Amino acid sequence: MDARSPSQRRRREMAAVTSGAGRCRLSKVGAGRRPPPARVRVAVRLRPFVDGTAGADDTPCVRGLDSCSLEIANWRNHQETLKYQFDAFYGERSSQQDVYTGSVQPILRHLLEGQNASVLAYGPTGAGKTHTMLGSPEQPGVIPRALMDLLQLTREEGAEGRPWALSVTMSYLEIYQEKVLDLLDPASGDLVIREDCRGNILIPGLTHKPITSFADFERHFLPASRNRTVGATRLNQRSSRSHAVLLVKVDQRERLAPFRQREGKLYLIDLAGSEDNRRTGNKGLRLKESGAINTSLFVLGKVVDALHQGLPRVPYRDSKLTRLLQDSLGGSAHSILIANIAPERCFYLDTLSALNFAARSKEVINRPFTNESLQLHVLAPVKLSQKELGPSEAKKARGPEEEKTGNPESPAAPASASQKFSLLQKLSSMDPAMLERLLSLDRLLGSQGTQGTPLLSTPRRERMVLMKTVEEKDLEIQRLKMKQKELEAKELAQEAVDPTERENCSPTMLLPLARRRVTVAKPLKKAVVIPLQLIQEQAASPNPDIHILKKNRKRKLEHVDASGPQEKAEDCWELQLSSGLLAHGRQKILQLLNEGSARDLQSLQRIGQKTAQLIVGCRELHGPFSQVEDLKRVKVLSGKQLESFLKANILGFAAASQCCGPS
């Protein structure tokens, strides 16, 4: 079967490595070093004969040779066989435990390193893919075994006293007729697949459930599994009519400096099997479902062929399935492909096609890397000691409570060696148990008369540079404030001069030039339509702050002749809103951004369907918005769009509150 020369195999492998590296360049954390390659590992599982599908004298068309190779009859010449070699081969007598421990269990450790992993079950319909992934209560499959071991690993690594705190969340979805459906929330409808700035695939609006034990996993997973679309065909009474994807995310947060964060994802994918409608007897809806399944699997084969041949374009976007599997094939995940095949001769063509697909997938190269980031904001509470700050800066850094109660480090009350300021007392983000231990050690060293600086009181060089920069900026701001106060005092003194003294002053004083033209831009006139009843209520109201539209007489300067400018009064309308109405409008907008659904967000001015879905996705990815201006920070709206959005919606909320009263 493998008749290619060594040079041809080497060229194809180098082409696959080059193509895989180009696709994951956007996802690299650091651009200095390329992540090492990791080939897609392929395992083949042969199910036993099923009662009723084979005759009494039917012989299997596939036979295993050893733990990594097998042979199948050659349809061109029945006296010859085609041999295949993979990473693992599991025969008819292999158990669920053998498949899990031999192929799936070794990749779970990569999740604790902040890397992604995926397990795919591929094969024709009726070959045992769902049994391999789910299993039964007596023989659990890959999914329950992997979740049980993963939760045990996270409990051990995230225990008290360990450097990392871990949390696990799960999501469950299906791709049915090119629609992405959330099995944990079936009413959410068709979801979209997007890609962030680092090249990671994400699904805005997908439900994420936190789990801490296997009982939590079963409470969410078992009801969601009943929402998956299944149907009966001639070959399988419970045939999967959709591709099911279980996403398990492991988040890690470092308890001590430098407070790193890691994120690892595990994709457990049960693909629907390819079907021959002549043998399955599909009609109507089943025929339509079969067409969608075969189309997505055909695109999956095209993606594998493109990666295998090193083509410049890989058709990931031709199908929702391949778009979701972009990390697993040629991306940044440790991937395991379990190809399920059947021994009956009636499945010969499907088995041969599955083996050829598995052989091509074995040549695909991925480049996994660690998804790691730093929490820079946790360094804010750290302060320098009194000696490093100096007397003036130390007084400013002292809190109001210390000023009231009296600081033991003040000159009036000199501090002893045991009362010196310690940075450990400011590390509020540290774990309480660890903080108590460090404080006890610090006090012990102080009582023993240890010379030098206290424990952990010397900041890093970068932190010193940052603090010095902040001090310089503060001093510059203080100088600017003093200069502004001096200018204001001079201006007040000039305004207090007697008018007669101004006439007798020297002509060298700052006076307007005789022929200087003073031009003032005319304000744009804008009209706002308000109900007549509201205007009458505003006119009769004694409180002038509730007026939304007010008529004022503004004065402007116009040049008439060379003698000088003259003032001219002009009527104009100007918008006046009280601070209470402005705050109420912004609060209503922020509440809708954090709690409203996509349909609720579309009720706002300047917000359409795509913008509403983007806001919901950003809210789930980055957390709730702290202020309305965060829409500009996450690049949902530009500066001008945000300004017009605020004007339109705050004016609408203000008018509604005047007509109907505050809500």
Side-chain angles (χ1 to χ4, degrees):
M1 180 65 186
D2 196 359
R4 295 188 298 269
S5 63
S7 60
Q8 291 178 349
R9 289 197 301 270
R10 193 177 302 109
R11 284 198 300 270
R12 293 194 177 184
E13 183 176 356
M14 291 301 296
V17 170
T18 305
S19 62
R23 276 177 295 278
C24 66
R25 190 178 297 112
L26 292 176
S27 300
K28 291 181 182 179
V29 179
R33 218 175 66 179
R34 295 179 63 189
R39 182 177 54 83
V40 175
R41 300 181 61 84
V42 178
V44 177
R45 185 180 190 184
L46 176 65
R47 70 160 172 80
F49 280 93
V50 178
D51 296 337
T53 59
D57 55 349
D58 193 6
T59 57
C61 61
V62 181
R63 183 171 63 92
L65 300 179
D66 52 31
S67 61
C68 295
S69 59
L70 70 155
E71 63 178 3
I72 185 174
N74 189 356
W75 62 278
R76 290 188 177 91
N77 188 352
H78 296 286
Q79 297 179 357
E80 296 179 356
T81 58
L82 303 176
K83 296 182 180 180
Y84 293 86
Q85 187 169 5
F86 300 100
D87 296 289
F89 171 73
Y90 303 100
E92 302 176 356
R93 298 183 179 181
S94 61
S95 63
Q96 300 275 58
Q97 180 69 20
D98 297 336
V99 177
Y100 172 72
T101 56
S103 297
V104 180
Q105 193 177 29
I107 69 171
L108 296 181
R109 59 181 178 84
H110 297 295
L111 298 174
L112 302 182
E113 300 172 359
Q115 300 181 2
N116 299 336
S118 62
V119 180
L120 296 88
Y122 180 87
T125 181
K129 300 180 298 300
T130 304
H131 176 73
T132 300
M133 298 301 293
L134 295 180
S136 61
E138 297 79 15
Q139 298 180 356
V142 169
I143 290 179
R145 293 176 186 270
L147 264 295
M148 194 175 300
D149 287 353
L150 181 61
L151 291 172
Q152 179 65 26
L153 286 175
T154 55
R155 281 194 295 269
E156 294 175 356
E157 294 295 329
E160 190 70 28
R162 303 302 292 269
W164 294 89
L166 287 83
S167 62
V168 183
T169 59
M170 62 165 288
S171 302
Y172 197 23
L173 61 95
E174 70 171 353
I175 302 177
Y176 176 70
Q177 295 188 15
E178 288 301 303
K179 294 181 180 180
V180 180
L181 305 178
D182 190 353
L183 295 178
L184 294 174
D185 185 14
S188 59
D190 188 13
L191 303 177
V192 296
I193 301 176
R194 299 197 181 279
E195 184 176 355
D196 63 3
C197 58
R198 296 185 298 173
N200 298 322
I201 302 299
L202 52 91
I203 303 176
L206 185 63
T207 304
H208 298 274
K209 296 288 187 180
I211 54 176
T212 57
S213 63
F214 190 75
D216 294 342
F217 168 72
E218 286 185 328
R219 186 172 67 253
H220 299 303
F221 182 77
L222 294 180
S225 299
R226 291 190 286 269
N227 295 329
R228 186 181 179 185
T229 307
V230 295
T233 63
R234 290 180 183 175
L235 301 180
N236 193 353
Q237 293 299 321
R238 287 187 56 83
S239 175
S240 301
R241 315 309 298 166
S242 63
H243 309 292
V245 180
L246 175 64
L247 171 60
V248 182
K249 186 185 298 185
V250 180
D251 292 321
Q252 305 180 63
R253 297 179 183 272
E254 197 171 15
R255 292 191 172 103
L256 301 177
F259 304 101
R260 294 171 295 174
Q261 293 182 353
R262 289 178 179 176
E263 180 184 85
K265 297 179 182 179
L266 175 62
Y267 294 90
L268 299 170
I269 305 163
D270 180 15
L271 298 176
S274 58
E275 296 182 346
D276 185 356
N277 294 317
R278 294 171 297 182
R279 292 192 294 114
T280 57
N282 293 330
K283 295 180 181 179
L285 179 61
R286 293 289 174 264
L287 184 62
K288 186 177 180 180
E289 295 170 348
S290 176
I293 293 171
N294 291 337
T295 301
S296 60
L297 294 177
F298 174 71
V299 176
L300 179 61
K302 288 172 56 179
V303 168
V304 172
D305 288 340
L307 294 173
H308 177 60
Q309 299 174 13
L311 299 181
R313 179 187 178 274
V314 182
Y316 287 116
R317 296 177 179 268
D318 291 358
S319 173
K320 296 286 185 68
L321 175 63
T322 53
R323 181 65 168 155
L324 192 61
L325 297 181
Q326 188 168 346
D327 281 344
S328 304
L329 297 174
S332 59
H334 297 271
S335 298
I336 301 293
L337 176 67
I338 303 177
N340 293 264
I341 57 177
E344 292 86 1
R345 289 191 174 274
C346 60
F347 285 93
Y348 174 79
L349 294 179
D350 294 331
T351 300
L352 182 62
S353 176
L355 291 176
N356 290 333
F357 176 82
R360 297 194 304 271
S361 301
K362 187 178 62 173
E363 306 297 331
V364 176
I365 303 296
N366 293 349
R367 288 192 175 272
F369 62 89
T370 299
N371 300 300
E372 186 175 287
S373 60
L374 288 177
Q375 273 186 308
L376 299 179
H377 63 277
V378 298
L379 300 178
V382 179
K383 297 182 180 179
L384 295 177
S385 61
Q386 297 276 347
K387 296 180 180 179
E388 295 169 342
L389 280 176
S392 59
E393 286 79 1
K395 187 176 181 180
K396 297 176 185 177
R398 212 173 286 138
E401 297 181 358
E402 297 178 359
E403 293 290 342
K404 294 179 181 179
T405 58
N407 192 356
E409 297 178 6
S410 61
S416 61
S418 61
Q419 294 175 339
K420 288 185 178 181
F421 177 79
S422 178
L423 286 177
L424 294 176
Q425 299 173 0
K426 298 297 181 181
L427 298 178
S428 58
S429 60
M430 189 179 293
D431 185 71
M434 183 65 67
L435 180 60
E436 183 63 29
R437 293 178 185 176
L438 292 176
L439 285 173
S440 302
L441 182 59
D442 193 22
R443 288 192 294 268
L444 178 61
L445 293 177
S447 62
Q448 294 178 356
T450 305
Q451 301 295 330
T453 57
L455 183 65
L456 296 183
S457 62
T458 303
R460 293 188 177 184
R461 183 178 301 175
E462 295 83 358
R463 197 178 305 164
M464 291 286 293
V465 174
L466 179 62
M467 294 302 297
K468 289 182 180 179
T469 305
V470 172
E471 291 176 10
E472 294 175 358
K473 296 297 182 182
D474 291 341
L475 293 176
E476 184 178 356
I477 291 174
Q478 291 178 3
R479 287 195 297 267
L480 292 176
K481 287 183 178 180
M482 294 297 295
K483 188 174 181 180
Q484 181 181 3
K485 289 181 180 180
E486 293 176 359
L487 293 177
E488 291 178 355
K490 289 181 180 180
E491 185 178 358
L492 292 176
Q494 290 179 1
E495 292 179 355
V497 176
D498 189 71
T500 59
E501 295 181 2
R502 286 193 179 186
E503 295 178 358
N504 299 330
C505 67
S506 174
T508 59
M509 297 290 291
L510 293 176
L511 294 176
L513 298 177
R515 295 185 178 182
R516 185 178 177 182
R517 292 178 176 268
V518 181
T519 58
V520 180
K522 294 183 179 181
L524 297 176
K525 298 181 179 180
K526 296 183 180 180
V528 180
V529 179
I530 298 180
L532 179 60
Q533 181 181 1
L534 177 59
I535 297 178
Q536 292 174 355
E537 292 178 359
Q538 292 178 358
S541 175
N543 186 8
D545 290 337
I546 66 172
H547 286 270
I548 294 179
L549 199 60
K550 186 177 180 181
K551 187 174 183 181
N552 290 337
R553 296 183 66 85
K554 288 190 175 180
R555 296 183 177 273
K556 69 174 184 175
L557 295 177
E558 288 190 355
H559 181 76
V560 179
D561 53 8
S563 61
Q566 294 184 0
E567 294 184 351
K568 180 180 178 181
E570 184 182 21
D571 293 339
C572 63
W573 296 89
E574 92 178 298
L575 187 66
Q576 290 186 352
L577 288 177
S578 66
S579 58
L581 291 179
L582 286 173
H584 174 70
R586 296 177 71 90
Q587 186 65 26
K588 291 284 289 183
I589 294 175
L590 186 60
Q591 183 179 0
L592 274 176
L593 291 178
N594 288 330
E595 300 177 2
S597 61
R599 183 173 298 178
D600 297 334
L601 292 174
Q602 293 181 28
S603 63
L604 294 173
Q605 299 289 337
R606 307 290 196 276
I607 297 296
Q609 181 180 3
K610 293 184 178 180
T611 308
Q613 294 177 354
L614 188 58
I615 291 174
V616 173
C618 292
R619 182 177 66 198
E620 295 178 357
L621 184 63
H622 302 287
F625 298 94
S626 59
Q627 56 183 354
V628 183
E629 283 72 15
D630 289 345
L631 294 175
K632 179 181 177 182
R633 180 175 58 82
V634 299
K635 298 182 180 180
V636 175
L637 297 176
S638 62
K640 294 183 179 179
Q641 292 175 345
L642 180 62
E643 183 178 358
S644 62
F645 166 77
L646 287 175
K647 286 182 179 179
N649 289 282
I650 289 179
L651 184 58
F653 284 124
S657 65
Q658 291 297 314
C659 294
C660 306
S663 58

